[in-house]
Amino acid sequence: MNTSELLPEVDVIEGVYLCTRLDLPELFSAAMAEKKGLRLYRPEDVPDPARIRFALVWAPAEDAFDAYPNVELVQVIAAGVDGVLHNPSLPENAVVTRVHDPEQAATMAGFAVWHVVWHHRKMGTYLKAQQDANWSRYLIKTLKSPSLITVGILGYGLMGKAIAQATAALGFQVLVASRTAGESEAGITRISGDDAVNEVAAQADILINVLPLTPQTRNVLNAKLFAIMPKGAALIQLGRGDHLVEEDLIAALDSGQIGGASLDVFKQEPLPDTHPFWTHPNVVVTPHEASVTTPEVVANALENAINDVAAGRCPTSIVDLKTGY
Ligand code: GLV
């Protein structure tokens, strides 16, 4: 036997995949194979847990990190990190990083504006009419120009900014709710402060949610918020399922207070097949795919973060554990 097979390679940094929901090795092993300085294992294949210095994760089990006392870096495969930050076994001193990818934001922006146009142009009406070969020009008398429609965006991070710019480029009025005050860009009005979400929602004909999930934003999309929105407004929910009180949305849709909703994220995923959202006439359901990122982007993010940590630098994609994003 070649004894070198039994020895750890000193220049290889070892890590572990930790996930309860996806087969991460199947998704990422080809991209990770390109990263010659890194080696990732399934938990059951880890040769020596004490040598594991990083983890690539998505929805890890509550005790997932217990076996790996020397983990220094936890790289989340997505932009949202809510499924990891409150993990009770997360090592206290580990740096948590996430994906911060302009391409992912551009993908999200494309998805968001598609839904903005869907609600502005009442596309569901055309699809139903087509089934009956019904040529009716529904909007000829009522269509408002984009400049008369206010699109509200909750969240002004990488995703919120990309969505705001793409929406403003189509001529809509754009209002964003941002935790921090700062400059507004051309065509985008920025509102900050404790009441920013309400101020934006109160004016939004179409409201897009891309907030991070934190204790402050949990259940932020609720009956009270829907009640202050313009009657018949639309909701585009791209944040996290726990932002939305689902029964409040169904009541608001049924009363007509909310005219339509596009929902990509849910309290329970996959959305149970008996859930009323599937069949609601004014709801568009998609399976948490508003923005996806490629394995190569995740592998690069991980490699950059590991290099930063190894060199004593703060990774650019580090998560602030206080704000939760
Ligand atoms: C997707 O949900 C993400 O957080 O990137």
Side-chain angles (χ1 to χ4, degrees), residues 2-313:
N2 177 353
T3 50
S4 69
E5 278 174 19
L6 300 175
L7 297 172
E9 291 165 58
V10 280
D11 52 349
V12 167
I13 304 179
E14 292 172 297
V16 64
Y17 293 105
L18 297 175
C19 184
T20 51
R21 294 212 200 129
L22 301 170
D23 187 347
L24 294 186
E26 190 194 316
L27 289 170
F28 293 105
S29 56
M32 286 311 305
E34 301 296 314
K35 308 295 175 197
K36 300 295 176 212
L38 305 180
R39 182 161 306 151
L40 264 158
Y41 303 99
R42 291 178 186 271
E44 58 275 26
D45 297 335
V46 167
D48 177 0
R51 290 205 318 251
I52 293 298
R53 297 192 30 216
F54 68 92
L56 186 62
V57 309
W58 178 245
E62 293 218 324
D63 60 354
F65 299 96
D66 282 343
Y68 310 104
N70 299 322
V71 162
E72 295 160 58
L73 176 87
V74 176
Q75 170 72 49
V76 182
I77 63 160
V81 293
D82 43 282
V84 176
L85 287 194
H86 301 293
N87 186 297
S89 65
L90 187 67
E92 221 174 281
N93 297 322
V95 169
V96 179
T97 49
R98 64 187 176 123
V99 173
H100 193 75
D101 174 31
E103 292 282 355
Q104 188 188 17
T107 307
M108 181 67 118
F111 191 86
V113 293
W114 189 91
H115 283 280
V116 166
V117 174
W118 171 276
H119 291 290
H120 176 217
R121 306 302 299 267
K122 311 247 178 289
M123 290 305 295
T125 313
Y126 293 116
L127 290 191
K128 279 188 208 118
Q130 185 175 346
Q131 284 168 3
D132 302 329
N134 174 2
W135 178 278
S136 293
R137 302 184 71 194
Y138 293 100
L139 296 183
I140 195 157
K141 294 210 184 90
T142 54
L143 184 66
K144 285 192 190 166
S145 315
S147 66
L148 299 176
I149 305 282
T150 298
V151 176
I153 301 170
L154 306 182
Y156 200 48
L158 191 67
M159 299 290 165
K161 279 197 181 121
I163 294 171
Q165 287 160 357
T167 313
L170 294 181
F172 293 94
Q173 292 284 338
V174 180
L175 261 188
V176 301
S178 148
R179 190 178 58 88
T180 52
E183 295 285 306
S184 292
E185 291 178 60
I188 299 169
T189 305
R190 176 170 178 164
I191 298 181
S192 60
D194 291 347
D195 211 33
V197 166
N198 288 333
E199 283 182 49
V200 168
Q203 298 179 62
D205 299 303
I206 300 173
L207 185 68
I208 305 174
N209 175 46
V210 281
L211 286 166
L213 182 66
T214 66
Q216 293 74 37
T217 66
R218 186 174 295 273
N219 294 333
V220 67
L221 305 174
N222 59 38
K224 260 176 134 176
L225 193 86
F226 301 145
I228 62 170
M229 288 170 66
K231 189 162 173 67
L235 174 70
I236 302 175
Q237 153 62 332
L238 313 177
R240 283 289 183 261
D242 283 330
H243 284 131
L244 174 66
V245 182
E246 295 185 343
E247 4 6 313
D248 288 5
L249 177 61
I250 289 173
L253 285 163
D254 289 345
S255 73
Q257 175 58 23
I258 296 292
S262 301
L263 307 174
D264 185 59
V265 288
F266 304 90
K267 281 222 175 336
Q268 190 183 337
E269 294 180 8
L271 187 65
D273 42 6
T274 53
H275 198 291
F277 284 152
W278 281 118
T279 49
H280 200 290
N282 296 339
V283 171
V284 180
V285 168
T286 48
H288 199 147
E289 288 202 326
S291 77
V292 281
T293 190
T294 63
E296 290 71 28
V297 164
V298 175
N300 288 341
L302 173 63
E303 186 182 44
N304 292 338
I306 287 178
N307 288 342
D308 285 339
V309 169
R313 292 187 298 264

